[in-house]
Amino acid sequence: MNGSENPVLGLTTYLQQAQTGVWDVQASFLPAIYLQGVNLAGGAAVLLPPQQPDVADRVLDGLDGLIITGGRDVDPAAYGQGRHQLTDEPAGDRDAWEFALVERALARRLPVLGICRGAQVLNVVLGGTLHQHLPDVLGHSRHQLGNAVFTTSAVVTVPGTRLAALIGENTDAQCYHHQGIDRLGRGLIVSALDGADRTIEAVELDPGAHPDQFAIAVQWHPEERLDDLRLFAAVVAAAREYAHTRHPSTESVS
């Protein structure tokens, strides 16, 4: 791969009932705005529909980076809890698929970006837990008003984190999540908090322990603000570097 080529990033998808034209069928899909974020940042995007977890390594062989996208709640059985009455019904196929992808991606040091549900998947894979319904903890529903209305949260980054180096001290984030990170997973640190209620809004692999491994996950939706491509640009840049490391140039120097 040379510097002009686009690194290939895989994005996970929904798997649920969908309607198009006369058809009403089970379908794998993803809002196009995610793909636009990757493309605008210089990456090539491919979709990773839920399937048997044992093919995760084979799929990752063709990728330079991985994005775990938003969607339904993670099954609380995965972190040892019963289901809250407002937690989504388990999405078993997608959970198992994304768990396998994240586990294998981390093992091979593949760059990973988690978005909303993706942050929760990363945390759970590494042994962490979730608050199943934030209004029970916070006393308000500001992080998810419902009816597909995103709220803008003032997010404050933690100094010294990789995320702070990428986006600065603070940012306005588009949020739509009724769950959040509770106990941190192994090797993760908090990299951003809601400026008002201190909800964890981003985590990452500790850069002190993993200085060369890109794994950042945010509870907000950067694809909803394509005028700010910094997170997409960062994971695309990390994917490009990973590709160069995996496939060093064989061109001779004259």
Side-chain angles (χ1 to χ4, degrees):
M1 174 175 176
N2 61 51
S4 64
E5 292 180 333
N6 304 90
V8 178
L9 289 92
L11 295 90
T12 57
T13 76
Y14 293 75
L15 178 61
Q16 60 194 64
Q17 203 72 15
Q19 293 181 326
T20 177
V22 298
W23 306 106
D24 184 359
V25 297
Q26 278 277 302
S28 293
F29 61 93
L30 186 70
I33 198 166
Y34 283 97
L35 312 182
Q36 293 166 12
V38 172
N39 293 159
L40 288 170
V46 297
L47 298 183
L48 307 178
Q51 54 197 290
Q52 290 300 311
D54 58 7
V55 304
D57 265 317
R58 183 68 186 91
V59 169
L60 292 174
D61 284 344
L63 301 179
D64 305 311
L66 175 67
I67 298 177
I68 306 296
T69 62
R72 296 174 64 85
D73 299 333
V74 174
D75 185 352
Y79 48 95
Q81 294 183 12
R83 189 167 70 88
H84 188 286
Q85 62 180 347
L86 295 176
T87 295
D88 294 331
E89 290 284 348
D93 290 346
R94 184 174 180 185
D95 282 356
W97 173 237
E98 292 185 351
F99 291 168
L101 287 174
V102 170
E103 288 170 357
R104 300 311 307 150
L106 294 176
R108 60 173 69 198
R109 304 175 66 82
L110 189 79
V112 175
L113 173 64
I115 294 176
C116 199
R117 168 188 159 92
Q120 296 164 8
V121 168
L122 177 64
N123 194 57
V124 170
V125 164
L126 292 174
T129 63
L130 305 177
H131 294 299
Q132 288 193 53
H133 193 55
L134 283 174
D136 292 347
V137 179
L138 303 174
H140 66 75
S141 302
R142 179 171 55 79
H143 292 282
Q144 187 186 84
L145 295 179
N147 295 318
V149 176
F150 287 86
T151 56
T152 301
S153 294
V155 170
V156 179
T157 58
V158 176
T161 60
R162 189 185 297 268
L163 183 65
L166 291 174
I167 67 172
E169 295 181 359
N170 52 68
T171 190
D172 287 337
Q174 297 297 105
C175 290
Y176 197 86
H177 62 97
H178 82 108
Q179 298 195 338
I181 291 170
D182 182 10
R183 188 183 72 241
L184 284 177
R186 297 179 304 276
L188 293 177
I189 61 171
V190 175
S191 50
L193 298 164
D194 182 280
D197 61 30
R198 311 303 285 174
T199 297
I200 294 173
E201 285 291 343
V203 294
E204 62 185 62
L205 277 184
D206 184 351
H210 306 275
D212 301 318
Q213 187 165 6
F214 185 101
I216 293 176
V218 299
Q219 276 286 180
W220 68 86
H221 285 267
E223 77 282 3
E224 292 294 322
R225 285 283 310 274
L226 293 184
D227 58 329
D228 181 355
L229 290 172
R230 287 176 294 181
L231 280 173
F232 284 110
V235 72
V236 167
R240 182 174 287 110
E241 180 61 30
Y242 179 88
H244 278 298
T245 301
R246 188 169 56 149
H247 302 296
S249 175
T250 56
E251 294 179 6
S252 60
V253 177
S254 57

